[in-house]
Amino acid sequence: MIDAKNRTGAGLKTGVVMDPISGIKTYKDSTFAMLLEAQRRGHELWYMEPSGLTMRNGTALGHMNPLSVRDDPNDWFTLGASRNLELSTLDILLMRKDPPFDMDYVYTTYVLDLAEKAGVTVVNRPQALRDANEKCFITHFAQCCVPALITRSSLEIKDFIAEHGLSVVKPLDGMGGESIFQVRPDDPNLNVILETITSADRDLVMVQSYIPEITEGDKRILVVDGQPVPYALARIPGEGDFRGNLAKGGTGKGVPLTERDNWICGQVAPELKRRGIVFAGLDVIGDWLTEINVTSPTCIRELDSEFGLNIAAQLFDALEATRKL
């Protein structure tokens, strides 16, 4: 077996678990930015999809392909022949599969647990991925958030909306603005919305008080090894929509962090560090934290382009430092 633990800097082996690389949009894909930076540093890249991960006799393995990348929107990657290798042959493993965070995702983190146990630096830590649900995790920082409720009960949601007025209700396992509803006490569709999103009171959902400042953008703040990037991407809703998600037609605009943004980061970042969450995306609307994204946060490429940054370099500085300990 290759001794992965004594290599630092150039010569490191970095693997990535991601959705098919053939389907990414390179101009906005944060995983691609990470791969470009790792290759620039001389890392040897290995590509895996979740379906290629296995466990055998207590050992984590992956059907992986050697990978090279190019910043060319028409021809951005080359894969070598697949090999079934122990994940312990890697130094760093980026877990970058998109949600939904379902049981298959959870089972994948069990494979990554074994890789971490064997000495691989897994980003983000498998246990943290399981524990820090991107909606529920904000409940650890209630001082940063608007009133919110997590429940299966349509009746409780109605009571919440009656108390707080215009609200937003969303599933706990989605991404990209999927299945998010804006609701009000007199909405004639309220019953059917709640029946649908809770699967008739069987599924937990989150309801939050509506934040009017969404019209100014849903800010994505990236936190790398406990330090916030000094600029956020404000994702401004498209015409006729209240969701700022770029996947739902929002447009991105870079903005400097405010004093309040930095205060929120100061509240959250120490807990991210404690849990081994090296790369996270905080979503902030107005003065309020609304989500903490830990599975596959985005917006590196947009912020790099607008402000001349190299956020992936900050990430790999931190990861390479862990290999020197």
Side-chain angles (χ1 to χ4, degrees):
M1 182 186 301
I2 297 174
D3 181 4
K5 300 173 183 57
N6 294 322
R7 296 197 305 271
T8 58
L12 289 172
K13 295 183 70 174
T14 292
V16 62
V17 178
M18 62 185 291
D19 295 305
I21 193 171
S22 59
I24 67 173
K25 294 179 173 61
T26 59
Y27 69 92
K28 66 174 187 177
D29 194 278
S30 292
T31 306
F32 187 65
M34 295 175 188
L35 294 172
L36 286 171
E37 176 61 21
Q39 181 174 270
R40 186 189 69 77
R41 290 169 175 248
H43 292 208
E44 183 180 307
L45 301 182
W46 290 86
Y47 166 85
M48 289 159 277
E49 295 177 19
S51 60
L53 296 178
T54 60
M55 293 182 281
R56 181 184 301 157
N57 301 325
T59 299
L61 300 101
H63 293 274
M64 57 180 85
N65 304 76
L67 169 68
S68 61
V69 289
R70 301 168 288 283
D71 202 0
D72 180 341
N74 299 308
D75 178 27
W76 60 90
F77 72 99
T78 299
L79 294 177
S82 177
R83 298 170 62 187
N84 191 25
L85 300 174
E86 295 183 9
L87 296 187
S88 61
T89 61
L90 302 171
D91 296 290
I92 297 166
L93 181 54
L94 306 173
M95 174 51 169
R96 293 288 301 174
K97 183 193 180 303
D98 286 337
F101 190 89
D102 52 18
M103 284 309 299
D104 187 67
Y105 194 109
V106 171
Y107 297 146
T108 299
T109 68
Y110 294 154
V111 184
L112 302 183
D113 277 335
L114 291 177
E116 184 180 57
K117 182 179 178 181
V120 182
T121 300
V122 182
V123 185
N124 286 309
R125 288 195 66 204
Q127 181 177 343
L129 293 175
R130 292 192 296 271
D131 291 349
N133 174 272
E134 302 187 334
K135 310 297 190 298
C136 295
F137 193 28
I138 66 169
T139 62
H140 291 259
F141 311 99
Q143 71 275 22
C144 303
C145 306
V146 295
L149 170 70
I150 296 174
T151 182
R152 294 180 175 86
S153 169
S154 296
L155 180 59
E156 290 185 357
I157 296 173
K158 289 179 183 179
D159 289 343
F160 181 95
I161 298 167
E163 179 183 355
H164 297 285
L166 185 61
S167 301
V168 172
V169 62
K170 52 191 174 183
L172 298 181
D173 61 352
M175 66 165 287
E178 290 291 339
S179 301
I180 297 178
F181 295 92
Q182 186 184 99
V183 290
R184 63 182 73 244
D186 60 352
D187 190 329
N189 295 309
L190 182 57
N191 285 337
V192 70
I193 289 171
L194 298 185
E195 287 172 8
T196 300
I197 199 167
T198 66
S199 300
D201 288 10
R202 290 190 296 270
D203 295 340
L204 282 169
V205 300
M206 169 175 275
V207 57
Q208 295 168 296
S209 180
Y210 177 76
I211 306 171
E213 289 84 358
I214 183 60
T215 57
E216 301 168 14
D218 179 355
K219 290 181 287 189
R220 166 61 55 82
I221 302 171
L222 296 178
V223 179
V224 183
D225 195 34
Q227 296 298 315
V229 174
Y231 301 94
L233 190 72
R235 297 159 298 173
I236 301 168
E239 186 175 354
D241 206 334
F242 70 95
R243 298 168 297 178
N245 307 79
L246 301 181
K248 297 302 177 186
T251 56
K253 175 186 176 183
V255 295
L257 298 193
T258 66
E259 182 178 348
R260 173 73 176 187
D261 294 335
N262 280 302
W263 178 81
I264 290 172
C265 292
Q267 298 294 300
V268 176
E271 184 64 12
L272 297 178
K273 286 273 287 186
R274 188 186 73 80
R275 291 173 180 252
I277 299 173
V278 183
F279 186 66
L282 311 189
D283 289 349
V284 174
I285 301 174
D287 287 337
W288 306 104
L289 176 69
T290 61
E291 290 187 15
I292 302 173
N293 296 270
V294 302
T295 50
S296 55
T298 61
C299 297
I300 286 180
R301 296 282 269 176
E302 295 91 337
L303 290 171
D304 280 357
S305 176
E306 187 163 351
F307 296 107
L309 307 175
N310 186 346
I311 296 168
Q314 185 179 345
L315 173 63
F316 276 96
D317 284 347
L319 297 181
E320 289 181 356
T322 69
R323 308 307 305 180
K324 299 174 183 179
L325 298 178

